[in-house]
Amino acid sequence: MAEEAILCYLEKNVEISDSGLFAREFGLDHNEVVNIIKSLNGFRYVDAEDIKKEKWILTGEGEIYAATGSPEVQLLLAIPPEGIPREELQKKLGPSVFKIGCAQAAKNKWVEMGKQLISRKVQHVDDKVKNLLLQIKDGKEIHDDDVKALKARKLIVSQTWKGYSVKKGPSYAPRRKKAATDLTRENLQRGDWRELEFKEYNFNAKGQPLECGHLHPLLKVRQQLKNIFRQMGFEEMPTNNFVESSFWNFDALFQPQQHPARDAHDTFFLQAPSSTKELPEDYVERVKQVHENGGYGSKGYGYDWKREEANKNLLRTHTTAVSSRMLYLLARKPFAPKNYFSIDRVFRNEAVDRTHLAEFHQIEGLICDRGLTLGDLIGVLYDFFSRLGMSKLRFKPAYNPYTEPSMEIFSYHEGFKKWVEVGNSGMFRPEMLRPMGLPEDVRVIAWGLSLERPTMILYGVDNIRDLFGHKVDLGLMKKNPICRLGIDAC
C-alpha cells in the first residue's frame, strides 16, 4: 500500500518533500514508508535524500504531567480556601508531587507556606506547563524560553527525527516490475523469457557465512610443533593417561619423597582411586635402593623410601612421567636409539593469574643414544628452536632432580627487546637411567617448554585465561589467523 501511494503520488507530482508529512497525510506508518523508499531507491525507481530534524519529545514524567497536570497546579487545587496542614496535604498528593509542587508554587508566589498551614495566595491559574507539554506532544513549536524551562525540569528531551525527500529516479515507473532471479524451464517453453527483466548479479556481495568448526590457537601451534618434531625424526609418545602414580611421576625420576613438589599444595592427589595396584616390582626395588643408598657413582638421598608414597595416584605434573615409562620399556628390549616427543596436558596446584593456570600443556623432546654429550644437547636445541624462529639462544645452569647437568634456555625476543626464558633442559641422571636397565654408555638428553607461552607470543595474548579455560571468547577461535611459527618475527 505504501509503495503504491509513493509511486502514484510521484506520477502526478514532482517530489515528496517530507516523508513524515506524506505518511501523516495518507495515514501510513512512517517506518513502513521509510523502508519502501530505501527499497525503491536501491532499484533506482526514486532518488531519495536524507532529512534530519531535531524535535522535542516528552519524558515519562512529562507524559504524566501532560495527562494529570503539573505538580504546582495539582497542589494549588488541593488546597481548600481555609488552608491545609502540611502533613495532610503531603498525604493527599503524595511525597513526589508535594515536594515539586511546593517548590514551583512558592516560586510562582501562588501559595503561602506557613508554619501550621499552607494557604492560597491566588484562586485561579492556568496550567502553563501542561499546555506547553500538550503542544509539544502535538508537534507544535513553542518559545525557546519555554523549551529551556521544560528541559531544566527534565520534562522534555531532544530527539533526532530522520526521514527522506523523494523524486523520480532514472528507472521510475508507476508500478514496480518484479525482477526475475531465475530462468526456468517454463520461461523457455512459453517464450516469455524475452519480456523478463532479470535482477543484476552483485559479484561483490558476500555469501552466507558457513557454520563450521574452528581450530583453537593452541591446536594450531601444537600441530606446527608436531610437524617440526617429525621433520627432525622424532616419534610421538602416548600421553593418554592424565592420572599417574607418584612412582612414575616422581620416584622413577629420582625425585626424593620429601621434595616440595610432592606436597598437596603443589600437586593434585586423587581420593578415589587413591593408590595404584600395579608396579614392576623388580624395578621398584632398584629405585628404592638408589633413593636410599645411591649407586652408579651416587650417594643417594639417605632416607627411608616409603612404598605407600610411591603408590599415591595424582594428576601428572609433567609429561616426563610418560618419558620414564617409555625409557623403562625401551630398556627391556635390545637397545636401539630413539627420539621421542610429547605435547599434552599437565596439572599443578598453582594460584591462577594472568601467566599461570592449574592446567596447561607441556612440550617435551628427548633423545636416547650411546655417548651423547652436553654438546649434542646444545646442538639439538639450536636446531629445534631455530625452526620456531628463535636463533639467538643462551643457556644458564639450573637444578633439576632428574637431570645433571641442567640448563635453562633463553632466547632474545626482537619484539620485547630482551632475553626471555623459553624452556628447560638437561641430561637424565644415571640414578634415573641405570635402574631401568639401560646400558652404561647410553645417555638421554631432554628439553621441555610450555605450549601456552609461544602461543601467547604468536597471537598477542596478554592473559593466559583469555587463551585457555572457561573464560575464553569463542570469537577468538573464529577470527585468529593460521599459525606461522617464527616467534621473533611476531
Side-chain angles (χ1 to χ4, degrees):
M1 184 176 178
E3 180 175 314
E4 184 180 352
I6 293 169
L7 293 175
C8 288
Y9 185 89
L10 289 175
E11 186 178 10
K12 300 175 183 178
N13 299 274
V14 176
E15 70 171 342
I16 297 172
S17 58
D18 188 316
S19 59
L21 296 175
F22 178 84
R24 191 179 305 169
E25 181 182 347
F26 286 87
L28 301 170
D29 179 60
H30 185 247
N31 290 329
E32 183 185 357
V33 170
V34 166
N35 290 334
I36 293 297
I37 290 173
K38 288 179 179 178
S39 176
L40 291 172
N41 185 66
F43 288 97
R44 305 308 310 278
Y45 278 77
V46 301
D47 289 333
E49 292 187 8
D50 293 341
I51 298 175
K52 291 185 180 180
K53 296 179 182 178
E54 292 293 329
K55 70 173 187 175
W56 295 98
I57 62 170
L58 306 190
T59 62
E61 188 179 359
E63 291 281 1
I64 294 172
Y65 298 163
T68 61
S70 64
E72 54 266 36
V73 172
Q74 290 185 57
L75 181 132
L76 184 68
L77 295 176
I79 300 173
E82 67 276 10
I84 187 172
R86 179 184 291 270
E87 292 78 11
E88 187 178 337
L89 183 59
Q90 181 176 358
K91 187 177 180 181
K92 192 175 182 180
L93 295 172
S96 177
V97 173
F98 174 78
K99 181 180 178 181
I100 299 171
C102 281
Q104 294 297 327
K107 180 181 177 183
N108 296 336
K109 298 181 180 181
W110 291 352
V111 296
E112 184 176 341
M113 310 294 291
K115 291 184 178 180
Q116 299 297 327
L117 298 175
I118 298 176
S119 56
R120 294 187 184 190
K121 281 187 176 184
V122 295
Q123 296 305 315
H124 301 287
V125 295
D126 290 329
D127 196 341
K128 183 180 177 181
V129 170
K130 178 180 179 180
N131 293 334
L132 290 171
L133 291 172
L134 289 173
Q135 290 179 52
I136 290 174
K137 195 170 183 180
D138 291 337
K140 297 178 181 178
E141 297 285 337
I142 64 173
H143 197 273
D144 288 345
D145 292 339
D146 294 328
V147 169
K148 289 178 182 178
L150 295 176
K151 183 181 177 184
R153 292 181 65 172
K154 298 181 179 178
L155 301 181
I156 60 173
V157 291
S158 176
Q159 185 184 66
T160 301
W161 179 89
K162 296 181 179 180
Y164 292 96
S165 65
V166 184
K167 294 181 180 179
K168 293 179 182 178
S171 302
Y172 171 78
R175 285 183 177 275
R176 175 157 37 173
K177 191 174 183 181
K178 189 175 180 181
T181 56
D182 292 306
L183 181 63
T184 65
R185 178 185 177 187
E186 289 75 17
N187 296 143
L188 295 171
Q189 289 175 338
R190 291 193 301 261
D192 59 6
W193 59 271
R194 297 180 180 87
E195 287 78 35
L196 291 178
E197 289 185 13
F198 290 95
K199 185 177 180 181
E200 293 182 4
Y201 281 102
N202 182 0
F203 293 102
N204 295 320
K206 294 183 178 179
Q208 185 72 18
L210 296 176
E211 289 297 328
C212 58
H214 297 270
L215 288 177
H216 192 280
L218 284 172
L219 295 179
K220 295 181 182 181
V221 177
R222 184 177 72 173
Q223 186 58 48
Q224 291 290 315
L225 285 161
K226 284 186 176 183
N227 292 341
I228 288 173
F229 274 114
R230 289 176 180 134
Q231 289 165 10
M232 295 176 66
F234 282 72
E235 175 186 336
E236 187 170 7
M237 295 184 281
T239 55
N240 54 316
N241 288 340
F242 288 174
V243 175
E244 192 55 90
S245 67
S246 292
F247 176 79
W248 292 109
N249 197 82
F250 294 124
D251 296 274
L253 301 179
F254 195 59
Q255 191 158 327
Q257 294 184 337
Q258 307 92 332
H259 196 280
R262 301 180 70 153
D263 190 85
H265 292 295
D266 292 300
T267 300
F268 292 110
F269 288 93
L270 270 65
Q271 290 185 345
S274 60
S275 60
T276 187
K277 295 181 179 179
E278 293 184 9
L279 290 174
E281 295 301 330
D282 56 338
Y283 177 45
V284 170
E285 183 61 31
R286 293 194 296 273
V287 169
K288 175 184 177 181
Q289 291 298 323
V290 78
H291 274 252
E292 290 183 343
N293 307 312
Y296 319 106
S298 170
K299 294 182 179 179
Y301 291 116
Y303 69 96
D304 291 331
W305 186 86
K306 296 179 181 179
R307 176 64 180 268
E308 57 269 23
E309 285 294 323
N311 286 347
K312 288 181 179 179
N313 284 333
L314 48 79
L315 294 178
R316 67 182 179 212
T317 63
H318 48 193
T319 53
T320 317
V322 180
S323 301
S324 63
R325 282 181 176 272
M326 294 300 293
L327 290 172
Y328 171 71
L329 293 175
L330 187 63
R332 300 182 68 185
K333 304 173 184 177
F335 179 73
K338 285 287 184 179
N339 298 353
Y340 288 128
F341 82 93
S342 65
I343 307 174
D344 213 331
R345 297 188 189 186
V346 296
F347 310 85
R348 295 180 189 176
N349 193 4
E350 295 196 36
V352 176
D353 57 31
R354 59 184 293 273
T355 58
H356 294 85
L357 289 176
E359 176 183 356
F360 58 97
H361 295 75
Q362 182 177 331
I363 304 164
E364 184 163 340
L366 66 88
I367 299 176
C368 180
D369 203 348
R370 299 182 187 273
L372 293 174
T373 66
L374 191 64
D376 294 305
L377 174 59
I378 293 173
V380 171
L381 291 177
Y382 269 109
D383 185 12
F384 175 77
F385 282 100
S386 68
R387 296 169 188 256
L388 299 180
M390 294 181 279
S391 56
K392 298 178 182 178
L393 298 182
R394 283 181 179 175
F395 305 97
K396 175 184 175 183
Y399 169 76
N400 293 314
Y402 46 89
T403 58
E404 180 59 38
S406 307
M407 300 184 303
E408 291 176 348
I409 310 164
F410 292 81
S411 173
Y412 186 77
H413 194 288
E414 297 292 347
F416 296 158
K417 301 298 180 185
K418 65 178 183 179
W419 291 90
V420 294
E421 184 181 353
V422 293
N424 209 329
S425 66
M427 302 184 67
F428 283 154
R429 299 175 68 106
E431 296 96 322
M432 172 186 165
L433 301 178
R434 298 293 86 79
M436 293 177 175
L438 289 169
E440 290 188 9
D441 60 342
V442 169
R443 307 283 186 268
V444 177
I445 57 177
W447 68 97
L449 60 151
S450 79
L451 179 62
E452 284 74 8
R453 179 76 181 254
T455 306
M456 289 174 69
I457 295 173
L458 280 166
Y459 287 96
V461 177
D462 183 61
N463 192 322
I464 194 170
R465 289 169 288 194
D466 295 333
L467 180 70
F468 186 63
H470 65 285
K471 293 185 178 181
V472 171
D473 178 12
L474 295 180
L476 173 69
M477 282 171 267
K478 295 181 180 180
K479 297 174 184 176
N480 62 60
I482 297 173
C483 169
R484 295 286 184 239
L485 287 181
I487 295 173
D488 280 351
C490 295

